[in-house]
Amino acid sequence: MPDYEITPPPTRLADRVQLRTAFSTERGEVPRFLVQLEYWLDGEWQPVVRYDHDRDTEMGHDVTEEGLHRDVYRDGVKLQDDEVTPPIPADEGFEYAEEDLRENVEDYVKRFERWHDIRNGSDL
């Protein structure tokens, strides 16, 4: 994971569920961000759904050129990469990503629990 200027502590959304955000700014622009929904499983935080933007790395998504992508994880591996928007400014992508994960946390977590055969998992 690249170094980010701003990495606030994750926000706990439910038992075993948190939202991690990190970003950097340069002259009012957002050159990179990460917004990730995580689930506590097997003694560590596992990615559930991730949005990211990094215009300076070869493997990073550049939302200003490619649009916003949603990465969905299963068993710690990226299962799918959904195109969500056409190209948009990075700050709008950051806001959209955080809003989507907060609004759809229950659906994303329930799917993750189903895939991992977790019963009585989160308190959503």
Side-chain angles (χ1 to χ4, degrees):
M1 181 167 25
D3 291 327
Y4 296 95
E5 284 179 355
I6 302 167
T7 55
T11 302
R12 187 64 62 97
L13 301 177
D15 184 41
R16 299 191 208 184
V17 179
Q18 70 181 17
L19 182 65
R20 179 180 308 276
T21 60
F23 62 98
S24 296
T25 59
E26 292 176 4
R27 296 182 294 272
E29 299 285 319
V30 179
R32 69 186 120 324
F33 70 73
L34 167 81
V35 183
Q36 178 169 283
L37 186 63
E38 299 174 335
Y39 194 100
W40 184 257
L41 181 63
D42 298 332
E44 64 182 346
W45 289 106
Q46 302 279 333
V48 175
V49 176
R50 172 188 299 162
Y51 288 93
D52 60 67
H53 161 70
D54 192 338
R55 66 178 187 213
D56 297 327
T57 64
E58 187 175 315
M59 297 302 291
H61 295 296
D62 184 346
V63 302
T64 65
E65 293 183 9
E66 305 168 27
L68 190 61
H69 293 252
R70 178 188 309 118
D71 300 332
V72 178
Y73 287 80
R74 181 177 184 174
D75 299 317
V77 176
K78 184 167 49 171
L79 180 66
Q80 64 192 65
D81 181 357
D82 300 325
E83 187 174 322
V84 178
T85 71
I88 58 174
D91 58 335
E92 288 180 29
F94 182 75
E95 290 174 21
Y96 181 100
E98 189 169 5
E99 204 172 283
D100 175 58
L101 294 182
R102 286 183 183 277
E103 288 179 5
N104 297 297
V105 62
E106 187 172 349
D107 292 338
Y108 294 143
V109 167
K110 295 299 180 193
R111 178 181 59 196
F112 184 87
E113 289 175 338
R114 207 172 41 254
W115 284 347
H116 294 87
D117 199 28
I118 299 168
R119 299 189 194 327
N120 301 319
S122 66
D123 58 356
L124 291 169

